[in-house]
Amino acid sequence: MQDLYLEQIVKANRTKGAMVPRILFAVTVFFAAVTLLIDLRCIVLAVAAGVITYLMNSRRGYEYEYLYVNGELDIDVVKASRRKRLGSFQMEELVCMTLKDSPRLEGYKGQAMKNLDASTGASGNPIYAMIFKQNQGYLQLLVEPEEELMKIFQTTVPNKILN
């Protein structure tokens, strides 16, 4: 028997907001220079701009990695050099998979459901909602599978893919 294996990486595309950290860095350098040359009271502004710059830079540059191996979907988030496992999901526990805005998800609105978003919304791929049955209720997982990963899903669990 042949193993089914596929790895897909979904990167967050840089948007117009990607320039904001660079502008904040320039403002930080400016306030630091003004502090040293003119007025020491500007140190508060320099420190605030530095903190904001750090926080903005730490939130960009991430990607999701979907790894499918023989009926198990592992999802990791990779930020800079750190990797964090978001979850491991068995396809046999999948209840249904459909587009995120599909009316077929209306039946799950009142259920006790955890939500996990592993989509960037920037890759150009449609966002799908995967509903998994878990011990305490349901889990809704948002993903952006490429065509090859969708083919594997349709092969392994064809009756649970709803359009």
Side-chain angles (χ1 to χ4, degrees):
M1 187 170 127
Q2 192 174 11
D3 290 339
L4 283 175
Y5 172 85
L6 182 70
E7 181 176 346
Q8 176 188 334
I9 295 177
V10 179
K11 291 186 178 186
N13 291 340
R14 294 183 183 231
T15 61
K16 294 177 184 175
M19 287 300 294
V20 173
R22 292 181 182 176
I23 293 169
L24 284 175
F25 180 74
V27 168
T28 303
V29 170
F30 173 75
F31 281 131
V34 168
T35 299
L36 293 175
L37 297 175
I38 299 173
D39 191 1
L40 290 177
R41 288 177 283 181
C42 290
I43 193 73
V44 174
L45 296 174
V47 169
V51 168
I52 291 171
T53 302
Y54 172 77
L55 292 175
M56 299 267 314
N57 276 331
S58 67
R59 291 193 179 136
R60 56 175 250 241
Y62 66 94
E63 61 190 26
Y64 291 103
E65 180 182 82
Y66 307 150
L67 180 64
Y68 182 86
V69 180
N70 293 334
E72 185 174 329
L73 179 65
D74 295 328
I75 299 183
D76 295 341
V77 62
V78 181
K79 293 181 183 180
S81 62
R82 288 177 269 151
R83 172 183 299 269
K84 180 181 174 188
R85 172 67 44 101
L86 288 183
S88 184
F89 308 96
Q90 297 293 328
M91 294 306 286
E92 60 195 30
E93 295 174 353
L94 181 69
V95 176
C96 73
M97 178 178 180
T98 186
L99 288 172
K100 176 180 88 168
D101 299 326
S102 174
R104 294 180 183 245
L105 294 174
E106 293 295 322
Y108 297 98
K109 292 279 184 190
Q111 305 288 333
M113 185 180 309
K114 289 174 45 180
N115 291 305
L116 183 60
D117 191 355
S119 65
T120 63
S123 72
N125 294 326
I127 298 175
Y128 284 86
M130 300 176 81
I131 307 292
F132 289 94
K133 180 73 172 146
Q134 302 223 314
N135 298 340
Q136 308 289 319
Y138 293 98
L139 175 119
Q140 178 180 359
L141 174 66
L142 299 178
V143 293
E144 295 178 68
E146 292 177 350
E147 186 175 328
E148 196 173 348
L149 187 56
M150 279 302 293
K151 285 180 183 176
I152 288 178
F153 289 157
Q154 290 170 346
T155 311
T156 56
V157 287
N159 57 340
K160 296 180 182 179
I161 309 293
L162 309 173
N163 291 326

